[in-house]
Amino acid sequence: ACLGRGQLRVLDERLKQKRAIFRGYQERLMDLPGLRFQAEPQGFVSNHWLTCVLFPGHHDQALLTRERVRMALEAENIESRPLWKPMSMQPLYKDAELVRTQEHVAGDLFARGLCLPSGTQLTDADLDRICAIFKRAVREKAA
């Protein structure tokens, strides 16, 4: 309880940092055509605890781009990861009909989505570096 109370004291500052990181990615990557960030629904305020991006294009094409970016970041010791793997793709649930009904949506998001570094310790210089690597990887694919 003490830890939680202590964290509540800095919660507003952490949320401001998370929102600034999200905006930083948007501003730096806005010139890449078709790249999408999660929209904030009208009347709601996201905490942007994790910044994720969706790559444009057909499922397979987007998967190649996502992996190219992920691997380029990894080569520079920058951790990113695909969006969460759908339950219907997990071995335990492979035959579950109710889970599989949404596979086309969840599978597409899994193939096209990438979670970017979002820690509150990120600086503007870190965002510049991450986004430069990101853009270079996307543009190498296009060439």
Side-chain angles (χ1 to χ4, degrees), residues 18-33:
K18 292 289 191 169
R19 292 178 65 77
I21 290 165
F22 179 83
R23 284 190 308 275
Y25 278 122
Q26 278 186 313
E27 291 165 2
R28 288 166 176 83
L29 299 174
M30 67 187 335
D31 62 329
L32 295 175

Side-chain angles (χ1 to χ4, degrees), residues 13-69:
E13 181 58 32
R14 295 293 184 265
L15 293 176
K16 285 179 191 173
Q17 291 170 312
K18 292 289 191 169
R19 292 178 65 77
I21 290 165
F22 179 83
R23 284 190 308 275
Y25 278 122
Q26 278 186 313
E27 291 165 2
R28 288 166 176 83
L29 299 174
M30 67 187 335
D31 62 329
L32 295 175
L35 202 65
R36 286 189 22 223
F37 291 86
Q38 180 68 42
E40 197 168 66
Q42 188 174 357
F44 293 89
V45 178
S46 173
N47 62 23
H48 293 296
W49 201 255
L50 183 61
T51 297
C52 300
V53 63
L54 288 177
F55 290 90
H58 180 266
H59 179 279
D60 293 335
Q61 176 190 27
L63 175 62
L64 290 173
T65 306
R66 183 203 73 195
E67 282 302 295
R68 184 178 312 263
V69 170

Side-chain angles (χ1 to χ4, degrees), residues 74-131:
E74 185 176 296
E76 298 292 330
N77 293 317
I78 299 170
E79 185 179 0
S80 64
R81 61 177 173 77
L83 291 182
W84 288 268
K85 191 173 191 174
M87 295 300 286
S88 60
M89 296 173 80
Q90 304 292 339
L92 180 63
Y93 296 106
K94 67 182 168 102
D95 296 323
E97 291 302 319
L98 291 176
V99 173
R100 295 183 66 74
T101 60
Q102 294 298 315
E103 184 173 349
H104 64 284
V105 173
D108 180 59
L109 291 173
F110 176 63
R112 296 188 314 118
L114 185 67
C115 300
L116 299 172
S118 302
T120 56
Q121 75 284 357
L122 287 176
T123 65
D124 281 337
D126 293 331
L127 287 173
D128 288 341
R129 180 172 173 248
I130 292 165
C131 291

